[in-house]
Amino acid sequence: MLQLSRSIVLPESELVVRFLRADGPGGQHVNRTESAVELRFDVLHSPSLPEEVRARLLARRDRRLTDEGVLVIQARRFRDQGRNREDARERLAEIVRGALQAPKQRIATKPTRSSQQRRLDGKQQRAKLKQTRSRAWSHE
């Protein structure tokens, strides 16, 4: 069981774990052991997720999310399979926890009159400075 919040728990049956051969350091041993972990979680068909959380996860523009709505996390940070498995589970939990809270609605604001005036004054001052740099060409 993967505890995401007080109300949301992902059972192990919804997580598909696959082991891969990791690249990187390790000598000849790295070619024989499958220490990298690929964790798959079907966001689209998961009965454990509330509808709002599922919608937020699917709306994310995340390259780890396939077209079929499956979230794929690869963990190969460590040389140990067990640590990589825990790392993948923690990263999955972090992603889902990020979707638990609805994003804060942006309130449209207008710049104040004084800030607009300061901006225009700054532009005029800059324009005058640049004009003084140019030479007055005479046509004699």
PDB file of all heavy atoms in Angstrom, residues 23-48:
ATOM      1  N   ASP A  23      22.248   1.626 -16.712  1.00  0.00           N
ATOM      2  CA  ASP A  23      23.508   2.053 -17.314  1.00  0.00           C
ATOM      3  C   ASP A  23      24.329   2.749 -16.234  1.00  0.00           C
ATOM      4  O   ASP A  23      23.894   2.915 -15.111  1.00  0.00           O
ATOM      5  CB  ASP A  23      23.243   2.995 -18.485  1.00  0.00           C
ATOM      6  CG  ASP A  23      22.328   4.145 -18.098  1.00  0.00           C
ATOM      7  OD1 ASP A  23      21.863   4.157 -16.951  1.00  0.00           O
ATOM      8  OD2 ASP A  23      22.073   5.012 -18.947  1.00  0.00           O
ATOM      9  N   GLY A  24      25.507   3.147 -16.560  1.00  0.00           N
ATOM     10  CA  GLY A  24      26.334   3.861 -15.604  1.00  0.00           C
ATOM     11  C   GLY A  24      27.405   2.989 -14.985  1.00  0.00           C
ATOM     12  O   GLY A  24      27.697   1.887 -15.461  1.00  0.00           O
ATOM     13  N   PRO A  25      28.014   3.474 -13.892  1.00  0.00           N
ATOM     14  CA  PRO A  25      29.140   2.763 -13.301  1.00  0.00           C
ATOM     15  C   PRO A  25      28.724   1.452 -12.647  1.00  0.00           C
ATOM     16  O   PRO A  25      27.584   1.264 -12.267  1.00  0.00           O
ATOM     17  CB  PRO A  25      29.667   3.738 -12.257  1.00  0.00           C
ATOM     18  CG  PRO A  25      28.507   4.576 -11.910  1.00  0.00           C
ATOM     19  CD  PRO A  25      27.695   4.678 -13.161  1.00  0.00           C
ATOM     20  N   GLY A  26      29.671   0.539 -12.536  1.00  0.00           N
ATOM     21  CA  GLY A  26      29.386  -0.735 -11.887  1.00  0.00           C
ATOM     22  C   GLY A  26      30.238  -1.854 -12.440  1.00  0.00           C
ATOM     23  O   GLY A  26      30.171  -2.971 -11.959  1.00  0.00           O
ATOM     24  N   GLY A  27      31.002  -1.579 -13.472  1.00  0.00           N
ATOM     25  CA  GLY A  27      31.887  -2.599 -14.033  1.00  0.00           C
ATOM     26  C   GLY A  27      31.107  -3.692 -14.733  1.00  0.00           C
ATOM     27  O   GLY A  27      30.032  -3.480 -15.291  1.00  0.00           O
ATOM     28  N   GLN A  28      31.648  -4.913 -14.700  1.00  0.00           N
ATOM     29  CA  GLN A  28      30.996  -6.037 -15.382  1.00  0.00           C
ATOM     30  C   GLN A  28      29.699  -6.419 -14.693  1.00  0.00           C
ATOM     31  O   GLN A  28      28.792  -6.951 -15.319  1.00  0.00           O
ATOM     32  CB  GLN A  28      31.941  -7.235 -15.410  1.00  0.00           C
ATOM     33  CG  GLN A  28      33.176  -6.990 -16.244  1.00  0.00           C
ATOM     34  CD  GLN A  28      34.169  -8.124 -16.132  1.00  0.00           C
ATOM     35  OE1 GLN A  28      33.991  -9.007 -15.309  1.00  0.00           O
ATOM     36  NE2 GLN A  28      35.199  -8.078 -16.950  1.00  0.00           N
ATOM     37  N   HIS A  29      29.598  -6.128 -13.421  1.00  0.00           N
ATOM     38  CA  HIS A  29      28.410  -6.513 -12.653  1.00  0.00           C
ATOM     39  C   HIS A  29      27.156  -5.821 -13.177  1.00  0.00           C
ATOM     40  O   HIS A  29      26.061  -6.381 -13.133  1.00  0.00           O
ATOM     41  CB  HIS A  29      28.647  -6.158 -11.180  1.00  0.00           C
ATOM     42  CG  HIS A  29      27.535  -6.581 -10.276  1.00  0.00           C
ATOM     43  ND1 HIS A  29      27.230  -7.898 -10.055  1.00  0.00           N
ATOM     44  CD2 HIS A  29      26.649  -5.856  -9.554  1.00  0.00           C
ATOM     45  CE1 HIS A  29      26.201  -7.969  -9.219  1.00  0.00           C
ATOM     46  NE2 HIS A  29      25.836  -6.737  -8.909  1.00  0.00           N
ATOM     47  N   VAL A  30      27.299  -4.600 -13.710  1.00  0.00           N
ATOM     48  CA  VAL A  30      26.144  -3.838 -14.176  1.00  0.00           C
ATOM     49  C   VAL A  30      25.472  -4.520 -15.368  1.00  0.00           C
ATOM     50  O   VAL A  30      24.283  -4.358 -15.609  1.00  0.00           O
ATOM     51  CB  VAL A  30      26.545  -2.374 -14.507  1.00  0.00           C
ATOM     52  CG1 VAL A  30      27.267  -2.292 -15.832  1.00  0.00           C
ATOM     53  CG2 VAL A  30      25.337  -1.467 -14.511  1.00  0.00           C
ATOM     54  N   ASN A  31      26.227  -5.330 -16.106  1.00  0.00           N
ATOM     55  CA  ASN A  31      25.670  -6.016 -17.271  1.00  0.00           C
ATOM     56  C   ASN A  31      24.849  -7.244 -16.889  1.00  0.00           C
ATOM     57  O   ASN A  31      24.144  -7.795 -17.718  1.00  0.00           O
ATOM     58  CB  ASN A  31      26.795  -6.438 -18.224  1.00  0.00           C
ATOM     59  CG  ASN A  31      27.551  -5.239 -18.741  1.00  0.00           C
ATOM     60  OD1 ASN A  31      26.979  -4.175 -18.942  1.00  0.00           O
ATOM     61  ND2 ASN A  31      28.847  -5.400 -18.937  1.00  0.00           N
ATOM     62  N   ARG A  32      24.957  -7.691 -15.653  1.00  0.00           N
ATOM     63  CA  ARG A  32      24.261  -8.911 -15.244  1.00  0.00           C
ATOM     64  C   ARG A  32      23.088  -8.666 -14.302  1.00  0.00           C
ATOM     65  O   ARG A  32      22.250  -9.533 -14.129  1.00  0.00           O
ATOM     66  CB  ARG A  32      25.252  -9.854 -14.554  1.00  0.00           C
ATOM     67  CG  ARG A  32      26.283 -10.426 -15.496  1.00  0.00           C
ATOM     68  CD  ARG A  32      27.018 -11.580 -14.863  1.00  0.00           C
ATOM     69  NE  ARG A  32      27.780 -11.171 -13.691  1.00  0.00           N
ATOM     70  CZ  ARG A  32      29.042 -10.796 -13.714  1.00  0.00           C
ATOM     71  NH1 ARG A  32      29.687 -10.726 -14.861  1.00  0.00           N
ATOM     72  NH2 ARG A  32      29.666 -10.484 -12.600  1.00  0.00           N
ATOM     73  N   THR A  33      23.054  -7.496 -13.665  1.00  0.00           N
ATOM     74  CA  THR A  33      22.000  -7.258 -12.681  1.00  0.00           C
ATOM     75  C   THR A  33      20.973  -6.278 -13.215  1.00  0.00           C
ATOM     76  O   THR A  33      21.304  -5.370 -13.975  1.00  0.00           O
ATOM     77  CB  THR A  33      22.576  -6.681 -11.373  1.00  0.00           C
ATOM     78  OG1 THR A  33      23.281  -5.493 -11.688  1.00  0.00           O
ATOM     79  CG2 THR A  33      23.477  -7.672 -10.690  1.00  0.00           C
ATOM     80  N   GLU A  34      19.748  -6.466 -12.813  1.00  0.00           N
ATOM     81  CA  GLU A  34      18.671  -5.569 -13.209  1.00  0.00           C
ATOM     82  C   GLU A  34      18.311  -4.709 -12.002  1.00  0.00           C
ATOM     83  O   GLU A  34      17.385  -5.008 -11.253  1.00  0.00           O
ATOM     84  CB  GLU A  34      17.480  -6.373 -13.711  1.00  0.00           C
ATOM     85  CG  GLU A  34      17.817  -7.145 -14.965  1.00  0.00           C
ATOM     86  CD  GLU A  34      16.643  -7.912 -15.531  1.00  0.00           C
ATOM     87  OE1 GLU A  34      15.695  -8.190 -14.783  1.00  0.00           O
ATOM     88  OE2 GLU A  34      16.688  -8.219 -16.720  1.00  0.00           O
ATOM     89  N   SER A  35      19.069  -3.632 -11.826  1.00  0.00           N
ATOM     90  CA  SER A  35      18.872  -2.804 -10.638  1.00  0.00           C
ATOM     91  C   SER A  35      17.986  -1.590 -10.904  1.00  0.00           C
ATOM     92  O   SER A  35      17.469  -0.991  -9.973  1.00  0.00           O
ATOM     93  CB  SER A  35      20.216  -2.344 -10.083  1.00  0.00           C
ATOM     94  OG  SER A  35      20.910  -1.624 -11.070  1.00  0.00           O
ATOM     95  N   ALA A  36      17.807  -1.204 -12.153  1.00  0.00           N
ATOM     96  CA  ALA A  36      16.927  -0.078 -12.468  1.00  0.00           C
ATOM     97  C   ALA A  36      15.472  -0.535 -12.360  1.00  0.00           C
ATOM     98  O   ALA A  36      15.147  -1.688 -12.606  1.00  0.00           O
ATOM     99  CB  ALA A  36      17.205   0.441 -13.869  1.00  0.00           C
ATOM    100  N   VAL A  37      14.601   0.396 -11.991  1.00  0.00           N
ATOM    101  CA  VAL A  37      13.194   0.074 -11.772  1.00  0.00           C
ATOM    102  C   VAL A  37      12.336   0.955 -12.662  1.00  0.00           C
ATOM    103  O   VAL A  37      12.565   2.162 -12.779  1.00  0.00           O
ATOM    104  CB  VAL A  37      12.807   0.301 -10.290  1.00  0.00           C
ATOM    105  CG1 VAL A  37      11.328   0.104 -10.079  1.00  0.00           C
ATOM    106  CG2 VAL A  37      13.592  -0.628  -9.392  1.00  0.00           C
ATOM    107  N   GLU A  38      11.339   0.348 -13.298  1.00  0.00           N
ATOM    108  CA  GLU A  38      10.330   1.080 -14.054  1.00  0.00           C
ATOM    109  C   GLU A  38       8.997   0.841 -13.365  1.00  0.00           C
ATOM    110  O   GLU A  38       8.529  -0.288 -13.278  1.00  0.00           O
ATOM    111  CB  GLU A  38      10.280   0.599 -15.504  1.00  0.00           C
ATOM    112  CG  GLU A  38       9.264   1.344 -16.334  1.00  0.00           C
ATOM    113  CD  GLU A  38       9.194   0.818 -17.741  1.00  0.00           C
ATOM    114  OE1 GLU A  38       8.460  -0.163 -17.950  1.00  0.00           O
ATOM    115  OE2 GLU A  38       9.868   1.380 -18.614  1.00  0.00           O
ATOM    116  N   LEU A  39       8.404   1.909 -12.865  1.00  0.00           N
ATOM    117  CA  LEU A  39       7.129   1.825 -12.151  1.00  0.00           C
ATOM    118  C   LEU A  39       6.051   2.418 -13.040  1.00  0.00           C
ATOM    119  O   LEU A  39       6.183   3.536 -13.528  1.00  0.00           O
ATOM    120  CB  LEU A  39       7.218   2.608 -10.840  1.00  0.00           C
ATOM    121  CG  LEU A  39       5.981   2.637  -9.974  1.00  0.00           C
ATOM    122  CD1 LEU A  39       5.738   1.256  -9.368  1.00  0.00           C
ATOM    123  CD2 LEU A  39       6.138   3.655  -8.864  1.00  0.00           C
ATOM    124  N   ARG A  40       4.979   1.641 -13.257  1.00  0.00           N
ATOM    125  CA  ARG A  40       3.863   2.095 -14.088  1.00  0.00           C
ATOM    126  C   ARG A  40       2.612   2.188 -13.238  1.00  0.00           C
ATOM    127  O   ARG A  40       2.312   1.282 -12.466  1.00  0.00           O
ATOM    128  CB  ARG A  40       3.617   1.131 -15.248  1.00  0.00           C
ATOM    129  CG  ARG A  40       4.731   1.130 -16.249  1.00  0.00           C
ATOM    130  CD  ARG A  40       4.514   0.071 -17.329  1.00  0.00           C
ATOM    131  NE  ARG A  40       5.326   0.386 -18.464  1.00  0.00           N
ATOM    132  CZ  ARG A  40       4.920   1.082 -19.524  1.00  0.00           C
ATOM    133  NH1 ARG A  40       3.689   1.510 -19.582  1.00  0.00           N
ATOM    134  NH2 ARG A  40       5.749   1.341 -20.516  1.00  0.00           N
ATOM    135  N   PHE A  41       1.900   3.301 -13.407  1.00  0.00           N
ATOM    136  CA  PHE A  41       0.651   3.507 -12.679  1.00  0.00           C
ATOM    137  C   PHE A  41      -0.389   4.028 -13.667  1.00  0.00           C
ATOM    138  O   PHE A  41      -0.202   5.062 -14.307  1.00  0.00           O
ATOM    139  CB  PHE A  41       0.856   4.502 -11.538  1.00  0.00           C
ATOM    140  CG  PHE A  41      -0.402   4.888 -10.843  1.00  0.00           C
ATOM    141  CD1 PHE A  41      -1.184   3.940 -10.203  1.00  0.00           C
ATOM    142  CD2 PHE A  41      -0.830   6.205 -10.826  1.00  0.00           C
ATOM    143  CE1 PHE A  41      -2.354   4.298  -9.566  1.00  0.00           C
ATOM    144  CE2 PHE A  41      -1.983   6.574 -10.191  1.00  0.00           C
ATOM    145  CZ  PHE A  41      -2.753   5.618  -9.562  1.00  0.00           C
ATOM    146  N   ASP A  42      -1.488   3.290 -13.804  1.00  0.00           N
ATOM    147  CA  ASP A  42      -2.549   3.650 -14.738  1.00  0.00           C
ATOM    148  C   ASP A  42      -3.443   4.707 -14.102  1.00  0.00           C
ATOM    149  O   ASP A  42      -4.368   4.394 -13.350  1.00  0.00           O
ATOM    150  CB  ASP A  42      -3.351   2.406 -15.118  1.00  0.00           C
ATOM    151  CG  ASP A  42      -4.261   2.649 -16.311  1.00  0.00           C
ATOM    152  OD1 ASP A  42      -4.333   3.797 -16.784  1.00  0.00           O
ATOM    153  OD2 ASP A  42      -4.900   1.687 -16.766  1.00  0.00           O
ATOM    154  N   VAL A  43      -3.167   5.950 -14.416  1.00  0.00           N
ATOM    155  CA  VAL A  43      -3.915   7.067 -13.839  1.00  0.00           C
ATOM    156  C   VAL A  43      -5.344   7.071 -14.363  1.00  0.00           C
ATOM    157  O   VAL A  43      -6.298   7.299 -13.608  1.00  0.00           O
ATOM    158  CB  VAL A  43      -3.222   8.414 -14.187  1.00  0.00           C
ATOM    159  CG1 VAL A  43      -4.034   9.588 -13.684  1.00  0.00           C
ATOM    160  CG2 VAL A  43      -1.825   8.452 -13.617  1.00  0.00           C
ATOM    161  N   LEU A  44      -5.510   6.782 -15.635  1.00  0.00           N
ATOM    162  CA  LEU A  44      -6.819   6.875 -16.282  1.00  0.00           C
ATOM    163  C   LEU A  44      -7.832   5.889 -15.715  1.00  0.00           C
ATOM    164  O   LEU A  44      -9.008   6.214 -15.555  1.00  0.00           O
ATOM    165  CB  LEU A  44      -6.648   6.658 -17.793  1.00  0.00           C
ATOM    166  CG  LEU A  44      -7.857   6.941 -18.669  1.00  0.00           C
ATOM    167  CD1 LEU A  44      -8.273   8.395 -18.550  1.00  0.00           C
ATOM    168  CD2 LEU A  44      -7.547   6.605 -20.111  1.00  0.00           C
ATOM    169  N   HIS A  45      -7.391   4.680 -15.368  1.00  0.00           N
ATOM    170  CA  HIS A  45      -8.324   3.639 -14.920  1.00  0.00           C
ATOM    171  C   HIS A  45      -8.192   3.293 -13.444  1.00  0.00           C
ATOM    172  O   HIS A  45      -8.710   2.267 -13.014  1.00  0.00           O
ATOM    173  CB  HIS A  45      -8.119   2.370 -15.765  1.00  0.00           C
ATOM    174  CG  HIS A  45      -8.355   2.610 -17.223  1.00  0.00           C
ATOM    175  ND1 HIS A  45      -7.326   2.680 -18.120  1.00  0.00           N
ATOM    176  CD2 HIS A  45      -9.495   2.835 -17.920  1.00  0.00           C
ATOM    177  CE1 HIS A  45      -7.825   2.914 -19.326  1.00  0.00           C
ATOM    178  NE2 HIS A  45      -9.137   3.015 -19.228  1.00  0.00           N
ATOM    179  N   SER A  46      -7.525   4.122 -12.671  1.00  0.00           N
ATOM    180  CA  SER A  46      -7.326   3.822 -11.250  1.00  0.00           C
ATOM    181  C   SER A  46      -8.599   4.116 -10.447  1.00  0.00           C
ATOM    182  O   SER A  46      -9.077   5.253 -10.444  1.00  0.00           O
ATOM    183  CB  SER A  46      -6.177   4.655 -10.694  1.00  0.00           C
ATOM    184  OG  SER A  46      -6.092   4.484  -9.307  1.00  0.00           O
ATOM    185  N   PRO A  47      -9.135   3.124  -9.744  1.00  0.00           N
ATOM    186  CA  PRO A  47     -10.316   3.381  -8.914  1.00  0.00           C
ATOM    187  C   PRO A  47      -9.972   4.089  -7.601  1.00  0.00           C
ATOM    188  O   PRO A  47     -10.877   4.584  -6.921  1.00  0.00           O
ATOM    189  CB  PRO A  47     -10.872   1.981  -8.647  1.00  0.00           C
ATOM    190  CG  PRO A  47      -9.703   1.080  -8.773  1.00  0.00           C
ATOM    191  CD  PRO A  47      -8.777   1.709  -9.775  1.00  0.00           C
ATOM    192  N   SER A  48      -8.708   4.176  -7.260  1.00  0.00           N
ATOM    193  CA  SER A  48      -8.292   4.760  -5.982  1.00  0.00           C
ATOM    194  C   SER A  48      -8.236   6.283  -6.016  1.00  0.00           C
ATOM    195  O   SER A  48      -8.245   6.919  -4.966  1.00  0.00           O
ATOM    196  CB  SER A  48      -6.918   4.236  -5.586  1.00  0.00           C
ATOM    197  OG  SER A  48      -6.930   2.841  -5.536  1.00  0.00           O
TER     198      SER A  48
END
